[in-house]
Amino acid sequence: MKMSVLVSVVRLIYSIRPASAVFIALMIAGCASVSSSQWDKLYGQSTPREIADKPVSPKQSPAKLTYYQHTRPILEQRCVVCHACYDAPCQLKLEAYEGLLRGANPEKVYDGTRLLGASLTRLFEDATTTAEWRNKKFHPVINERNNTPVANINAGVMAQILKLKQDHPLPADAVLADSFDFNLDHNQSCSRIETFNGYAQKNPLWGMPYGLPGLNAKEYKMTMDWLAQGAAMGTPTPISAKVERQLADWETFFNGDSLKAQLVNRYIYEHLFLAQLYFADAPRTYFRLVRSATPPGQPIKRISTSRPFDEPNVPRVYYRLWQDPSSIVAKTHMPYALDKKRRDDWEMLFYNADYTVTQLPSYNPETAANPFITFAELPANARYRFMLNEAQFTIMNFIKGPVCRGQVALNVIQDHFWVFFLAPETQNSKGFEKFLADSSKHLQLPASSGNTFLPLTNWLKYSELQKEYLYSKAQYVNQVVKEERGLGIDLIWSGDNGKNPNAALTIFRHSDSASVHQGLIGQPPKTAWVIGYPLLERIHYLLVAGFDVYGNVSHQLLSRLYMDFLRIEGEMNFVTFLPKKSQQQEMDFWYRNAESNLQTYLDLFINQLNEKNNIVYKTDNPKLELYQKLQQHLGNAANSPHNLRTNTLNPEQLALYEKLQGTSGIAISFLPQTTIIEIPGKGLFTLVHNSAYSNLSSLFGEDKRRIPAEDNLTIARGVIGNYPNSFLRVEDQSLDAFVAEFQAMRSDADYRKLRDTYAIRRSNPDFWAFSDHVHELYFRNQPKEAAILDYNRLENR
């Protein structure tokens, strides 16, 4: 551009708005970046924006638009669908206004290669002011300079990146170009306002929402007007007086002074610290149980540590209920009711039982990480029942907690399996208490090692401890079964005669995420687990309470390797119920071409058992028989609203859906992990692609252990999973054609043709309208579990 033309343009703009003239002139001149000092001259110095900051100046009218009263729904529906949890791009967590003020940081939380543990950056915990976040290398995404409409737009990354999408909308291509990088591990571009010009010049199509259509005219105007007015917070909806009274009542309960009360409440806290606690009078208002240095009645002074059992460094820990203002996202949504029944259950389990707590345990890492030592004075059956009564929630902590993303943690489980539990009566005897006490030294967990630099040495130590435990466990099981005069189906928890829906769970792994659901969903899976108290507790302290998402590669590797022990143990528990001659055969099939040390664990446990099996088998498929017997034993607890047969489908429709589910072979290989299908008039269904493996005994080389010919599908009613990979809309009258075309797929071209007809691609101009419709159906039909879905894994095909 010639200088004379540039000067003319500057003069023209300057006559309208001086500051804008300089800003636009810099843009036109092609400056890749503008120094902070230049921004200071334009809009004043940057000052961290705090809650309730930026008072209205005398020359400025009060903001008319606020976050809580106007723009929060837009941010939830268009921004939070990608920017939430630990895997939010650039750590820009937009679930809460406080996350918007905190801003962005290019350092990744999920990094399986770091040698040193990362700095903790948990919103609401590891800093209390924006200034503190700036010291932790977070930079602003909304203007922190002079609070004027021009500065709020020109000096705000969020405003500029939304404007970039409006100026450069998605191309009309159905499949977006390779210049869009949708790989979860892609290099992040976390632009500051000083470098935004260069970002926009290099990537004009990378406005937000990234790789998706822009906001519609109404949404864009409201959001930009809000930003121009200063992005005011507004006022959240106050808690009702009734809920305030319930809060006070529960905080009194959580802070009893006796040694028993303090130990019980420490146990409750270490198991509920991730829970979204709620009351029936405010079912979508959630609270977190936190440790505080201050008692009820005083402002919460939060004790923030890496793990819930770390040293609090205060004379007395108080457990307080803190209201979480965050939007509810599906990938971390774990609701847990506080009500009279809950209180009565806990009173019965922990306070009505006859036992004495003689002293409070320490927070020494070597023992605090081992719940079998820390809580040895609490009845084991009470601890088991506490977790068992809400087993879905207990397992969900592993699925949705610190490992809300990551194959390192999740490639330890099969893509589809069922979970059953040992009856509480089997864990409620003096013999069991003695076995647990004698075994506590064998039940050490990797959390006690912290960010170790010696994963192999520690793995060998834990491997030997696990072998010793399995041998001792085999001797104990033999004794118990002998006393019971044989092994029977009644050793499995029936959910209190089918009344508790947590008695049977279905777990789906979706590559690097997973989901857990009540009831037995889908066709009989290849594998299943049976879990008792020691196994359930170790899963929690390995992958929830003791897992550090900010930990180094050795910590994460050791946690994954230890989980191998727990998976194998759960599978062996299940296989124990099969006929003796089938046990080795079944495990051999599950671990084809696996490392030879697997046989060591079988020899130490399964092959040490000499119990009499009272379960009568009549066919050459005893595993299927066992599944059928368990379903009958569980009664209503085996049912799931996700199953096709539990809903009102006529025989023709049911046959068609089951034909689709019965697809096998190459056609399945083209599918992503989860596909949400809307059938107008029938609702939402999820098509889950279950990948098959020869074994899961190795951390690496997963692709070499894939057996695509054994892949299968589960079609379920409603939404399964939190990260949909694909959306389809299939009219009811087109189902026959869709199933036929689907089963005929033989190439990527065939899959793309199928999507050309039925898909709502991420590039579709109507994508957001369809997204809103999906969420409306999701919240209407699954009100307890429904929350905002995550679109970081949407495919581009």
Side-chain angles (χ1 to χ4, degrees), residues 678-736:
E678 188 216 0
I679 302 176
K682 296 292 189 295
L684 298 177
F685 296 80
T686 302
L687 196 58
V688 184
H689 176 186
N690 303 313
S691 300
Y693 304 88
S694 59
N695 68 80
L696 293 177
S697 64
S698 176
L699 176 63
F700 305 107
E702 184 174 83
D703 56 331
K704 296 179 181 179
R705 291 178 279 115
R706 282 279 287 114
I707 309 178
E710 295 180 12
D711 289 5
N712 61 45
L713 297 176
T714 299
I715 183 167
R717 268 199 177 276
V719 173
I720 295 287
N722 311 303
Y723 301 85
N725 302 117
S726 175
F727 289 123
L728 303 179
R729 177 188 281 131
V730 182
E731 299 292 338
D732 195 34
Q733 63 270 22
S734 302
L735 272 173
D736 279 312

Side-chain angles (χ1 to χ4, degrees), residues 652-782:
E652 293 79 13
Q653 292 170 330
L654 183 61
L656 192 60
Y657 290 134
E658 291 187 337
K659 180 182 178 182
L660 177 62
Q661 180 167 274
T663 305
S664 60
I666 192 171
I668 301 176
S669 66
F670 304 107
L671 281 182
Q673 296 301 119
T674 60
T675 300
I676 293 179
I677 304 175
E678 188 216 0
I679 302 176
K682 296 292 189 295
L684 298 177
F685 296 80
T686 302
L687 196 58
V688 184
H689 176 186
N690 303 313
S691 300
Y693 304 88
S694 59
N695 68 80
L696 293 177
S697 64
S698 176
L699 176 63
F700 305 107
E702 184 174 83
D703 56 331
K704 296 179 181 179
R705 291 178 279 115
R706 282 279 287 114
I707 309 178
E710 295 180 12
D711 289 5
N712 61 45
L713 297 176
T714 299
I715 183 167
R717 268 199 177 276
V719 173
I720 295 287
N722 311 303
Y723 301 85
N725 302 117
S726 175
F727 289 123
L728 303 179
R729 177 188 281 131
V730 182
E731 299 292 338
D732 195 34
Q733 63 270 22
S734 302
L735 272 173
D736 279 312
F738 170 77
V739 172
E741 189 174 350
F742 176 85
Q743 294 186 325
M745 287 192 302
R746 294 296 180 270
S747 66
D748 281 320
D750 291 339
Y751 179 62
R752 179 166 179 170
K753 182 180 177 183
L754 182 84
R755 287 179 58 77
D756 287 342
T757 304
Y758 302 105
I760 307 296
R761 288 187 169 97
R762 63 185 308 141
S763 58
N764 192 313
D766 295 327
F767 175 85
W768 289 120
F770 185 78
S771 170
D772 293 342
H773 179 58
V774 165
H775 278 92
E776 189 275 325
L777 292 175
Y778 184 24
F779 276 82
R780 182 199 308 169
N781 297 315
Q782 297 167 243

